[in-house]
Amino acid sequence: MGSARRRASVGLGLAGAACALVGVSLLLVGPRIVKEQVIKNVRIDPGSISFKMWKDIPVPFYMSMYFFEVLNPNQVLQGEKPVLYQRGPYVYREFRYKTNITFHDNDTVSFLEYRTLFFQPELSNGREDDYIVVPNILMMGAAVMMENLPTFVKILLSGALAGLKQEAFINRTVGEIMWGYEDPLIDAINAIVPGMIPFKGKFGLFVEFNNSNSGLFTVNTGMKNISEVHMVDSWNGLKEVNYWRSHGCNMINGTAGEMWPPFMSPTSLDFYSPDACRSMRLVYEQSGNFQGVPTYRFVAPKTLFANGTDYPPNEGFCPCMQSGIQNVSSCRLNAPMFISHPHFYNADPALLDAVEGLHPNKDQHALFLDVHPLTGIPMNCSIKLQLNLYIKRVSGIIQTGRIKPVVLPLLWFAESGSIEGSVLKQFYTNLVLIPSLLDYLQYICLGLSILLIISAVVLMAMSQRPPHHPSTQSKPPPSETTPLLHDSAALSQDDAEA
């Protein structure tokens, strides 16, 4: 019995030691294995899991457009407050793909990324042939741009506008506003002020957006330093842009806005946006998960579009107006254009008070980015921006009437997308499930080793205990049989004497 217990004790001890060895090995080596797998699969390398995702983005992106219709154009011309009504959404499926991918010897890769939009009527609240009353962007923009020119030039323009029957507000379709329409005003303005509008043909807010690229990006591949992967080395050959008035504002920081370096900390992330002509910094808001994948949520700080008075680092983006809008005229042909959050969310209340019909709230109008911190890959995002036009009465141009100065919202859009389907399943299995199983397995092995070793010690202790044997008495203790034996012995002695 004792030898069997000793053999079982030795077996349990060896099993416990083996589990402890496996657990400690996983504890020491497991994180390194996970880290190496992440590095291998997120760098820009044709052999990595994320390369195909980076090259031809499989995530279904949608761009939802919302237009602000001016309900009282005649009253605005008389100096009254604009009354706006939001129309939409007009939803477009967005496809992105990269071409001209060229790897360089200095651990960088260059590429052009093209975007193509297709209207989705089944997801939209309206059609592209819907008519909407909006400001005459060309005319009102040109009027503000010519405000400081000699009076005779403005009178000349006003006469040309009258001849072309141009008015401060126009009734155009969604498709025309988006993708352009023929306007003789372009040639007229260029004839009066050569080069003011350096393009010909159609005018539309997104005429150069569809089937176009966002510029030549050169980014780090991460092959030598994973902490630099996706970080922009240059854009269109530039290390910094020249739109703004300070070095800090002109810097090209962060990534191209698609992926970020792995092993993120809950602080902030940067990206360069060609559409906004600047780098942007989002800040950490909270941790969460998307379809079982842990994420960090990053949002825009209130300082993103603050003016130079409220936030001095933004002084380089001026001339500024109220906080909450950014003047982008320097990269938009000097047109009086401003970007902001939709409905002037997080902006100076004065902007909101200048118009009627806006209702800002965080759930609908705040942008966000949910990123898997281990890999730096976005799981879910919605980037939202509003386009605004500064309009006012310009003396000498009678078509501007008595319009009071106002930053008038034109439209806002949300670019949204999330990983789903087979891509999400592959991502979850390789970069979430397997690392989690390795993490759990090391603690299971360590816990099991403790139980096995304790069991082995108990069995060993039991096998060392001596066996129990009853002790022999020299004299039997008194009992009920003693007198009978005693009497029998005495009787035998009496018989012998007789």
Side-chain angles (χ1 to χ4, degrees):
M1 183 71 177
S3 61
R5 287 176 176 173
R6 282 193 293 272
R7 286 194 297 271
S9 174
V10 171
L12 289 173
L14 290 174
C19 285
L21 181 62
V22 172
V24 171
S25 298
L26 287 175
L27 188 64
L28 297 176
V29 181
R32 183 181 301 174
I33 294 175
V34 172
K35 183 176 181 179
E36 288 176 352
Q37 285 300 309
V38 169
I39 292 173
K40 178 182 177 182
N41 288 307
V42 302
R43 60 193 182 187
I44 304 177
D45 175 41
S48 69
I49 290 178
S50 65
F51 180 78
K52 186 176 181 180
M53 183 188 303
W54 172 82
K55 180 178 180 291
D56 299 304
I57 298 178
V59 176
F61 269 93
Y62 293 90
M63 177 175 281
S64 300
M65 311 293 302
Y66 299 83
F67 292 85
F68 291 107
E69 181 163 28
V70 180
L71 299 181
N72 61 335
N74 294 329
Q75 288 78 10
V76 174
L77 279 168
Q78 299 304 315
E80 293 186 18
K81 182 186 297 187
V83 179
L84 306 177
Y85 178 72
Q86 179 176 287
R87 301 277 298 273
Y90 298 88
V91 182
Y92 296 82
R93 174 73 160 88
E94 182 177 349
F95 292 90
R96 298 184 181 186
Y97 60 94
K98 292 180 175 65
T99 62
N100 292 51
I101 299 174
T102 306
F103 287 88
H104 306 291
D105 295 334
N106 63 342
D107 194 28
T108 62
V109 59
S110 299
F111 61 89
L112 292 172
E113 182 174 88
Y114 282 82
R115 297 175 289 193
T116 305
L117 300 177
F118 296 93
F119 184 60
Q120 307 291 298
E122 69 281 2
L123 300 177
S124 303
N125 183 27
R127 305 182 307 178
E128 282 193 309
D129 58 4
D130 290 346
Y131 278 88
I132 298 178
V133 177
V134 294
N136 187 335
I137 301 170
L138 266 179
M139 192 205 87
M140 295 303 298
V144 173
M145 293 166 66
M146 298 176 68
E147 182 179 17
N148 297 321
L149 292 181
T151 302
F152 80 89
V153 176
K154 292 185 285 185
I155 294 175
L156 188 62
L157 175 64
S158 183
L161 294 174
L164 294 172
K165 298 182 179 180
Q166 294 282 334
E167 297 181 352
F169 294 90
I170 56 177
N171 192 14
R172 291 283 183 177
T173 67
V174 169
E176 288 174 328
I177 298 170
M178 287 280 292
W179 312 121
Y181 55 90
E182 298 289 345
D183 196 328
L185 182 58
I186 297 175
D187 293 333
I189 292 175
N190 282 327
I192 297 171
V193 185
M196 175 172 281
I197 302 178
F199 61 86
K200 294 182 178 180
K202 292 184 176 182
F203 170 78
L205 292 176
F206 290 83
V207 68
E208 295 183 355
F209 188 88
N210 203 6
N211 297 313
S212 63
N213 64 75
S214 53
L216 181 66
F217 274 99
T218 301
V219 303
N220 283 275
T221 62
M223 297 297 290
K224 297 177 182 177
N225 184 357
I226 195 61
S227 65
E228 294 292 320
V229 67
H230 299 296
M231 301 298 283
V232 177
D233 179 71
S234 66
W235 175 74
N236 284 340
L238 302 172
K239 297 291 185 179
E240 63 177 53
V241 295
N242 57 2
Y243 301 127
W244 315 111
R245 303 194 308 169
S246 72
H247 169 68
C249 292
N250 280 320
M251 289 178 63
I252 298 176
N253 299 322
T255 72
E258 297 173 337
M259 299 179 185
W260 281 264
F263 317 117
M264 301 178 72
S265 58
T267 53
S268 64
L269 58 79
D270 298 311
F271 64 96
Y272 178 71
S273 169
D275 298 326
C277 311
R278 58 166 288 189
S279 297
M280 293 188 176
R281 170 166 292 180
L282 305 186
V283 296
Y284 171 81
E285 182 186 53
Q286 63 185 20
S287 297
N289 75 81
F290 176 77
Q291 302 291 333
V293 179
T295 59
Y296 286 165
R297 170 160 289 193
F298 295 90
V299 299
K302 288 186 177 181
T303 56
L304 183 63
F305 297 133
N307 60 26
T309 302
D310 293 342
Y311 187 62
N314 281 355
E315 182 65 35
F317 294 122
C318 292
C320 300
M321 297 180 70
Q322 297 94 332
S323 277
I325 57 176
Q326 182 189 320
N327 188 339
V328 292
S329 59
S330 58
C331 70
R332 289 291 178 264
L333 309 177
N334 292 317
M337 304 296 292
F338 291 78
I339 58 173
S340 68
H341 296 299
H343 285 244
F344 290 138
Y345 172 71
N346 269 350
D348 190 314
L351 293 164
L352 197 62
D353 294 339
V355 298
E356 292 184 11
L358 301 185
H359 309 283
N361 70 78
K362 179 179 179 180
D363 291 339
Q364 295 182 25
H365 305 132
L367 64 83
F368 69 85
L369 201 61
D370 292 337
V371 184
H372 182 223
L374 183 65
T375 61
I377 297 176
M379 297 287 104
N380 183 31
C381 68
S382 185
I383 304 300
K384 303 168 184 176
L385 287 175
Q386 179 170 294
L387 194 60
N388 311 279
L389 178 69
Y390 177 62
I391 63 175
K392 60 181 293 188
R393 172 187 177 275
V394 177
S395 63
I397 303 179
I398 61 174
Q399 286 79 7
T400 60
R402 296 197 297 270
I403 298 175
K404 290 184 177 179
V406 61
V407 179
L408 187 66
L410 300 174
L411 61 85
W412 70 273
F413 63 87
E415 269 189 298
S416 306
S418 59
I419 291 182
E420 58 185 36
S422 60
V423 177
L424 176 62
K425 184 177 180 180
Q426 182 186 26
F427 184 93
Y428 179 80
T429 301
N430 292 327
L431 296 172
V432 178
L433 182 60
I434 293 176
S436 296
L437 290 176
L438 288 174
D439 195 37
Y440 290 136
L441 184 60
Q442 65 190 19
Y443 294 110
I444 291 173
C445 288
L446 289 173
L448 186 60
S449 70
I450 294 173
L451 290 176
L452 290 172
I453 291 172
I454 291 175
S455 300
V457 170
V458 171
L459 283 177
M460 183 61 73
M462 292 176 64
S463 68
Q464 296 298 323
R465 185 182 297 174
H468 175 73
H469 297 290
S471 57
T472 305
Q473 300 288 336
S474 58
K475 293 182 179 181
S479 67
E480 294 180 359
T481 61
T482 301
L484 295 176
L485 294 173
H486 179 73
D487 290 344
S488 177
L491 181 59
S492 299
Q493 185 176 1
D494 291 344
D495 292 340
E497 291 178 352

